[in-house]
Amino acid sequence: MTRSAVTADVAVVGGGIIGLATAERLSARGLAVAVVDAAGIAGGATGASGGLVRAFDLSASRRRPAAAGLDVYLRRGHRGTWPAVRRQGSLSLVARADLPRAEAAVADLGAAGHQAEILAGRDLATRFPALDIPGDLVAVHEPHAGWLPAGPVAHAMARDAGPRLRLVPARATHLLTSGSRVTGVHTTAGPVHARAVLLAAGAGSTPLAATVGVHLPLRTRAVGYCLFRVGEPADPTALPALVDTTTGAWLRPWGSDALVLAGVSAQETDVPETVRPGVPAQEEERVRAVVRHRCPLLATAPLAGGVTAYDAMAPTGDGEVAVPAGPDGLVTATGWNGGGFKAAPAIGELAAARLQEVAAR
């Protein structure tokens, strides 16, 4: 069967939140975009994401894109059409030894117009009685942050891109080149020709980059999302979105039901890039053993469901938008270790600018 070629200004490999945020910004610049992903929009790791959004980070380099991303999310996107942020607040726990850095970060956020405050001890216990935060930790509270349903946000980005976005539901197999330039990507549905290519497919970007001699060191890492039923009389809407930087644990309310979504950073790497319903009993107990120390309700709350997924792990732990040395026409946006959702609008803006520059050469 003869397969027709697709032509676009830019080919984006990866239909997750980073790829779609970039595609939406490219379309706003008047460029035609082909998004290549066999799983479709948010069919991979993004669809399973907890969708936590906040501006705070101890690292200034990570805080800037997170704050910019939260600004866009709070405006419901560039056209006001995205799902609204569930403003149940964000609580970031840090070691007391990091209090000076946290105070500097809060001052930085305040200067940028983001409301944030440091809570500890009795103030923290009074504000959030369902939590149990030890005295060696302090919390940065952002009342206007919280979480978003990741899949619907990704679909809203695609809708905003409009007719300039074409989804290619196929697997990318290798990059196309002409001389010293990348000219597109070959897929299981045929070639996609473009003046520039973005690799935003997580660890799946590594073998594609290798087809043009670019080394992109990424590994998959296991991620388990456990959904606990806390029941009554607990009010899950009183819980904020919680991130514990000291243990890698996080949790957030799940809609309006008496459910809490929780997870803990895993150490298992090189896992398949698959998302499947349910979590093994061993993963449930591993997550519960950590999160119960921050939210005692979860010590005995029954498991109501969950998802076993993955993310892409970079050696440095910091994602970046890069124009690799080698063939012209290639940009990569990878390596956020599961933390790319909150910064996706800012990452997409930067990646779109890089791609427009590369495409014009």
Side-chain angles (χ1 to χ4, degrees):
M1 181 177 67
T2 302
R3 294 169 175 170
S4 59
V6 173
T7 300
D9 294 314
V10 177
V12 172
V13 182
I17 197 70
I18 301 298
L20 290 166
T22 304
E24 188 276 330
R25 291 289 79 200
L26 287 167
S27 72
R29 291 167 176 258
L31 300 180
V33 188
V35 174
V36 179
D37 197 314
I41 295 171
T46 288
S49 170
L52 275 62
V53 292
R54 62 191 183 280
F56 172 77
D57 197 293
L58 284 173
S59 166
S61 63
R62 292 192 294 267
R63 185 163 62 247
R64 283 188 289 271
L70 180 58
D71 281 336
V72 177
Y73 283 133
L74 289 172
R75 297 197 306 269
R76 300 186 62 179
H78 302 282
R79 302 184 182 184
T81 61
W82 300 357
V85 174
R86 275 56 167 177
R87 299 192 193 193
Q88 290 167 295
S90 172
L91 210 61
S92 300
L93 304 183
V94 300
R96 189 168 284 275
D98 284 322
L99 179 57
R101 294 173 63 200
E103 290 174 331
V106 167
D108 183 29
L109 291 176
H114 288 275
Q115 187 175 345
E117 61 181 335
I118 293 179
L119 300 176
R122 183 175 298 176
D123 286 343
L124 189 55
T126 300
R127 296 276 287 276
F128 301 103
L131 301 178
D132 184 12
I133 311 302
D136 60 342
L137 300 182
V138 297
V140 175
H141 179 226
E142 298 171 77
H144 299 303
W147 60 277
L148 281 160
V153 171
H155 281 274
M157 289 177 172
R159 287 195 301 271
D160 275 4
R164 290 194 176 96
L165 185 152
R166 176 171 178 176
L167 178 65
V168 181
R171 180 175 60 85
T173 59
H174 60 273
L175 297 181
L176 301 173
T177 60
S178 177
S180 61
R181 185 175 184 87
V182 170
T183 58
V185 57
H186 195 275
T187 80
T188 51
V192 176
H193 300 294
R195 293 184 287 147
V197 173
L198 175 70
L199 295 183
S205 301
T206 296
L208 292 171
T211 64
V212 292
V214 173
H215 179 54
L216 195 59
L218 298 167
R219 305 173 72 182
T220 55
R221 178 178 62 175
V223 178
Y225 300 88
C226 295
L227 193 60
F228 296 104
R229 186 176 299 281
V230 296
E232 300 296 341
D235 177 9
T237 62
L239 282 174
L242 175 72
V243 176
D244 184 352
T245 66
T246 67
T247 64
W250 61 270
L251 60 87
R252 70 159 172 84
W254 178 270
S256 59
D257 296 327
L259 298 170
V260 173
L261 186 68
V264 179
S265 297
Q267 302 302 315
E268 186 181 1
T269 59
D270 302 320
V271 299
E273 293 180 78
T274 58
V275 177
R276 59 185 186 276
V279 292
Q282 182 178 359
E283 176 68 2
E284 173 195 342
E285 291 310 312
R286 185 185 75 85
V287 170
R288 191 192 299 273
V290 178
V291 298
R292 69 183 178 87
H293 292 293
R294 302 294 180 256
C295 183
L297 292 168
L298 302 185
T300 57
L303 188 72
V307 176
T308 299
Y310 64 95
D311 62 26
M313 185 175 180
T316 63
D318 289 325
E320 65 173 344
V321 175
V323 180
D328 203 3
L330 180 64
V331 177
T332 63
T334 58
W336 280 272
N337 289 22
F341 185 90
K342 63 182 180 293
I347 296 168
E349 191 78 63
L350 176 59
R354 295 284 184 273
L355 287 158
Q356 189 171 37
E357 293 169 4
V358 167
R361 293 177 187 167

